[in-house]
Amino acid sequence: MDCRAVLFLCLGFVTSQSGEEEGAQEPLRWMKRMEQVPRRQTSTNPAHLVHGLEYSLLNATFQGSNLTLQTSTIQTLAFKLGCDFAGLSLYSDALDREPQAARARHAMQFPTELTKQACRTRRRELRLICMYFFNNRFFPNDNSSLLNDYVLGAQLGSEHVDNLMEPINISLWHNQSLEDYNVTCVFWKEGASELHWGLWSPEGCRTEQPSPSQVLCRCNHLSYFAVLMQFSPAPLPAELLAPLTYISFVGCSISIVASLLTLLLHFHARKQSNFITRIHMHLHASVLLLNVAFLLSPALALPSVPGAACVALGAILHFALLSCLTWMAIEGFNLYLLLGRVYNIYVRRYVLKLCAVGWGVPALLVLLLLAIKSSAYGRHTIPLSHSQGNSTGFQHMSICWVRNPGVHHVLVMGYGGLTTLFNLVVLAWALRTLRRLKAREEAPGSRACRDTVTVLGLTVLLGTTWALAFFSFGVFLLPQLFLFTIFNSLYGFFLFLWFCSQRCHAEAEKEAEKEAFSTSQMMH
């Protein structure tokens, strides 16, 4: 080989080396460009910035089988994979170039199944890219904070990887215990929001907590992942889940049967009913809807069920609860009118107006909330703790319910607290009024005692048991859980017993009136 050939060979080698270095520096320049964008301008087009980084990584040229780039807030990795892929585990302890950086630990584990779907068409070299964002400025979120503000993402070339049998494991550690927080593994669902370029969704991800400071996400697809954090009470012991579920199922089933039977008896004798009985039937109908929606809620919260179905059921369950609470307040209001006007009450289209309040106000609130923020409903996770030898593990169960903490505080706890307080005030006033009536009557054991039973049936059994919801703290937590579950799951059954007692009492009065009339006829 002459000198010119050797010179051209060396020149070509140097040129290829510089080209590869230039190609590897393009993603780094894009990462620095993303960091230099002012925060106020990040929300204008974050999708362009994120997708631009993906494109530069997928088209970067580099020597060896992997490329690692890092700035102060972003870290990226690119891997050349073949169809003989045997799995990959990435740990932040081994990836960080700056050991002194005080960052929380994180890890990602990819299964061997990752490349199988792409290799079915033709065997070729694949590129896996991983992106770690150490702040969430490119992924806006209005409802909850992210654990450590970390977003971990992965993409396999231009392939759409989902429905994996072996999940992708994403682990995040926190420097403090997460026992006081409700954590949920989510992925960035692009195009699912009208306000931003996407939103966080829990679909396809399962949340586990191997330790109080670690969250393990098992997801069946590739995307950008994070962990949503919401402050919550202490986790419920998992050992109590089975008995509480059993009590709820049995109690709600009994109440459903009792409410249906009550409504059938009412329709059978509806010609003999008055406005008081019709008000009671609307309360029974709201309780029936509440129990049915509550029993269906855990089944529709499963990951295999579409999210829209869970959102719809969560809204229906919220509407049923608000209707039930509203009809409880209407019962208290009606009792106040009955006693305050000395059993003489007439309002034009009284029951129709009460229906507009009892059914219309809850429907208006729920529809307005759906129009403003439909994400307020959906899969709501309940933290559970269970003992594993000398340690404690954490897991979750999900129901279709209100997800937004502000909505829960105002339109669940606040609404329920006001109606319960109103009924308690009415109860105290009614008992005082009945005591005065009892003292004036010559036969205090007749009407006054009957009215006392009525007050207890309408207000104590219907209203005060819901006040137990406000004692779910400290030493009251476990007794409150069981008492609240027992009393309120059997709520419809108690109403049925009261309805039967009132009906039997009314029939006894009719028989007594007939006997008195026949006796007077015989005397004449």
Side-chain angles (χ1 to χ4, degrees):
M1 183 180 294
D2 57 7
C3 295
R4 288 180 297 178
V6 174
L7 180 62
F8 279 116
L9 182 62
C10 293
L11 181 61
F13 179 76
V14 172
T15 305
S16 64
Q17 288 291 99
S18 62
E20 288 185 356
E21 291 180 1
E22 179 67 20
Q25 291 301 314
E26 176 61 26
L28 185 60
R29 285 196 293 266
W30 192 272
M31 292 159 60
K32 293 179 179 179
R33 175 186 173 187
M34 293 175 69
E35 289 184 332
Q36 293 172 359
V37 175
R39 182 172 289 272
R40 64 178 180 273
Q41 297 180 8
T42 304
S43 58
T44 56
N45 196 5
H48 170 71
L49 298 173
V50 175
H51 291 326
L53 178 59
E54 294 173 358
Y55 179 81
S56 64
L57 286 170
L58 291 174
N59 293 276
T61 55
F62 54 90
Q63 285 184 332
S65 60
N66 62 80
L67 170 69
T68 302
L69 301 172
Q70 184 171 329
T71 61
S72 58
T73 60
I74 305 174
Q75 185 179 32
T76 59
L77 300 95
F79 299 90
K80 297 176 182 178
L81 304 182
C83 292
D84 56 347
F85 179 65
L88 179 64
S89 297
L90 304 175
Y91 297 94
S92 59
D93 297 339
L95 294 175
D96 282 337
R97 295 179 176 179
E98 302 176 7
Q100 69 274 15
R103 288 180 180 149
R105 295 167 55 206
H106 55 88
M108 295 185 75
Q109 296 176 331
F110 301 94
T112 57
E113 187 191 355
L114 185 69
T115 60
K116 288 183 178 179
Q117 185 175 354
C119 290
R120 286 194 184 101
T121 55
R122 60 188 180 91
R123 300 182 65 87
R124 64 188 185 280
E125 182 183 273
L126 300 171
R127 179 165 297 188
L128 173 67
I129 59 173
C130 301
M131 293 146 288
Y132 303 147
F133 296 91
F134 303 122
N135 60 55
N136 60 349
R137 59 183 296 194
F138 304 106
F139 301 87
N141 178 50
D142 298 329
N143 296 331
S144 308
S145 59
L146 300 184
L147 178 60
N148 302 327
D149 284 336
Y150 280 10
V151 178
L152 311 182
Q155 182 177 338
L156 183 65
S158 58
E159 304 291 332
H160 182 68
V161 180
D162 58 359
N163 296 322
L164 294 173
M165 299 298 294
E166 301 177 57
I168 299 167
N169 296 329
I170 304 101
S171 296
L172 289 170
W173 285 265
H174 195 55
N175 56 4
Q176 296 178 355
S177 174
L178 299 171
E179 295 183 14
D180 294 334
Y181 291 89
N182 185 4
V183 293
T184 307
C185 295
V186 291
F187 83 99
W188 187 253
K189 191 173 184 178
E190 189 172 348
S193 173
E194 296 180 357
L195 300 177
H196 308 297
W197 68 287
L199 55 79
W200 294 111
S201 171
E203 299 175 14
C205 291
R206 188 171 76 251
T207 306
E208 297 180 6
Q209 281 190 263
S211 68
S213 60
Q214 179 188 0
V215 180
L216 174 61
C217 303
R218 298 183 181 272
C219 302
N220 63 1
H221 57 278
L222 288 180
S223 181
Y224 292 95
F225 304 99
V227 176
L228 291 184
M229 294 177 58
Q230 294 179 347
F231 185 78
S232 66
L236 174 70
E239 295 78 9
L240 300 180
L241 179 62
L244 289 174
T245 303
Y246 180 78
I247 294 172
S248 299
F249 179 78
V250 173
C252 290
S253 299
I254 294 174
S255 293
I256 289 173
V257 175
S259 297
L260 283 173
L261 187 57
T262 305
L263 292 171
L264 290 175
L265 290 174
H266 168 70
F267 285 124
H268 179 70
R270 62 183 180 275
K271 294 182 179 179
Q272 303 174 3
S273 64
N274 52 20
F275 72 93
I276 299 177
T277 306
R278 290 196 291 271
I279 293 174
H280 299 338
M281 292 306 106
H282 284 285
L283 178 59
H284 273 284
S286 65
V287 173
L288 176 62
L289 179 61
L290 178 63
N291 286 322
V292 172
F294 179 77
L295 289 182
L296 292 176
S297 181
L300 291 187
L302 297 175
S304 58
V305 179
C310 192
V311 170
L313 184 61
I316 293 173
L317 182 58
H318 189 203
F319 166 73
L321 178 62
L322 294 181
S323 299
C324 184
L325 294 171
T326 306
W327 281 107
M328 283 167 45
I330 289 174
E331 291 280 9
F333 174 74
N334 187 60
L335 180 64
Y336 167 76
L337 291 183
L338 289 173
L339 293 177
R341 299 192 178 186
V342 195
Y343 307 98
N344 183 18
I345 176 174
Y346 175 75
V347 178
R348 188 169 179 266
R349 295 181 178 177
Y350 181 55
V351 177
L352 183 61
K353 293 177 180 178
L354 292 181
C355 288
V357 176
W359 298 110
V361 171
L364 181 63
L365 292 175
V366 172
L367 291 176
L368 187 62
L369 185 59
L370 283 172
I372 297 175
K373 185 179 291 187
S374 61
S375 60
Y377 299 107
R379 293 182 179 90
H380 172 72
T381 56
I382 301 174
L384 301 172
S385 64
H386 57 91
S387 299
Q388 296 176 333
N390 296 327
S391 62
T392 302
F394 298 88
Q395 61 186 35
H396 299 89
M397 70 164 293
S398 299
I399 61 173
C400 298
W401 182 231
V402 178
R403 296 177 55 190
N404 188 282
V407 174
H408 185 271
H409 291 323
V410 176
L411 289 182
V412 177
M413 301 302 293
Y415 200 95
L418 289 176
T419 54
T420 304
L421 179 63
F422 174 75
N423 275 0
L424 287 173
V425 172
V426 171
L427 173 64
W429 174 84
L431 290 176
R432 183 179 178 184
T433 303
L434 290 173
R435 185 177 180 181
R436 291 178 180 177
L437 292 175
K438 184 177 179 180
R440 293 177 184 176
E441 291 186 0
E442 296 181 357
S446 58
R447 173 172 290 185
C449 288
R450 177 168 55 86
D451 290 336
T452 301
V453 173
T454 302
V455 171
L456 294 176
L458 287 175
T459 312
V460 175
L461 292 179
L462 307 182
T464 57
T465 56
W466 292 87
L468 292 169
F470 298 93
F471 292 90
S472 57
F473 59 88
V475 296
F476 301 103
L477 177 60
L478 295 183
Q480 179 265 353
L481 284 174
F482 282 94
L483 291 176
F484 183 86
T485 303
I486 292 171
F487 284 128
N488 293 315
S489 64
L490 292 171
Y491 188 56
F493 178 68
F494 292 149
L495 284 175
F496 171 74
L497 294 179
W498 180 85
F499 173 79
C500 292
S501 65
Q502 291 296 105
R503 186 166 182 175
C504 292
H505 185 76
E507 292 179 355
E509 281 190 344
K510 289 182 180 180
E511 291 294 331
E513 289 178 359
K514 288 181 180 180
E515 290 181 0
F517 178 76
S518 60
T519 303
S520 62
Q521 289 291 91
M522 291 175 62
M523 292 178 64
H524 288 291

